[in-house]
Amino acid sequence: MIALLRTRHSVLPGFTLSFSLSVLFICLVILLPLSGLAMHVAGMGWDNYWGVISHPRSLASFKVTVLSAAGASVINAVVGLLLAWVITRYRFPGRRLMDALVDLPFALPTAVAGLTLAALFADNGWLGQWFSIAGVKVSYSWVGIMIAMSFTSLPFVVRTVQPVLEDLTPDVEEAAATLGASPAASFFKVILAQLTPALLTGTGLAFTRSLGEYGAVIFIAGNLPYETEIVSLLVNIRLEEYDFASASALASIILIASLVLLFGIQSIQSRLVRRWRGG
């Protein structure tokens, strides 16, 4: 056993080298850009910083971004769970293709996705014409923003829930049924209870991803100030105006929100897992 453990530990380089390379990569790719952002924000002063983030146009862009991301995350939680369930529990022609298509938003450039969605959901597009008949405007509205965000962040929910479903065999459902549980009770009290940590994690990651979305949104949003302008676009506008301080201030709000969400997701997931195992 000791020899086996030593063999496993010797597969990778020693701790010093592995740790040094990991820290170097984190510093170059993550901490260095964040340090540059922090330096721009620190040079503003509190009054200027507050003036930028509390400007009516900034507040409107925050509202559009957060509400659209929240709506997209709710859609992804339901659709992502359904997709993961179908792919995991059923065998049908085209299953592998469906499984592969889930990752398409990761491989497809977001600008291409935005152009495609804008063309599909335009008033004269293949899908948009039917919504237009019903009096629903998709392109150049917050609905289009929500659809674009949902498209780019859906894989986070599916790929987070899918491994848990694969480990959760149908025997659990059969055992609940033999004890007299109805199908609804088996799903909500047995299956969904075990899926909750993964579902919350995937939904939270989808929400965080949507907060910083840019390419897939700007082509379908219309980009009207105070109406359909997202934070990422406003940051880009400030950069084009060479107002790097304002751009950094706006970006810092999204960064702080993303970090808080990520740490919160990790904490909630750990607590739910410990509670489930303890129960």
Side-chain angles (χ1 to χ4, degrees), residues 73-85 150 154 157-158:
S73 300
V74 172
I75 293 174
N76 285 343
V78 177
V79 177
L81 176 60
L82 181 62
L83 271 175
W85 183 276
S150 178
L154 178 63
V157 179
V158 179

Side-chain angles (χ1 to χ4, degrees), residues 156-167:
F156 286 101
V157 179
V158 179
R159 294 311 184 204
T160 306
V161 173
Q162 190 174 352
V164 182
L165 270 176
E166 291 176 349
D167 293 336

Side-chain angles (χ1 to χ4, degrees), residues 109-189:
T110 55
V112 176
L115 287 171
T116 304
L117 291 173
L120 285 175
F121 289 99
D123 290 341
N124 58 348
W126 290 353
L127 299 178
Q129 58 181 336
W130 302 107
F131 286 96
S132 181
I133 293 174
V136 178
K137 186 176 181 60
V138 178
S139 288
Y140 315 124
S141 69
W142 67 270
V143 179
I145 299 175
M146 190 170 60
I147 291 176
M149 289 181 173
S150 178
F151 174 81
T152 56
S153 58
L154 178 63
F156 286 101
V157 179
V158 179
R159 294 311 184 204
T160 306
V161 173
Q162 190 174 352
V164 182
L165 270 176
E166 291 176 349
D167 293 336
L168 191 63
T169 61
D171 297 341
V172 178
E173 304 167 46
E174 296 174 0
T178 57
L179 295 175
S182 64
S186 299
F187 177 76
F188 287 104
K189 294 184 178 181

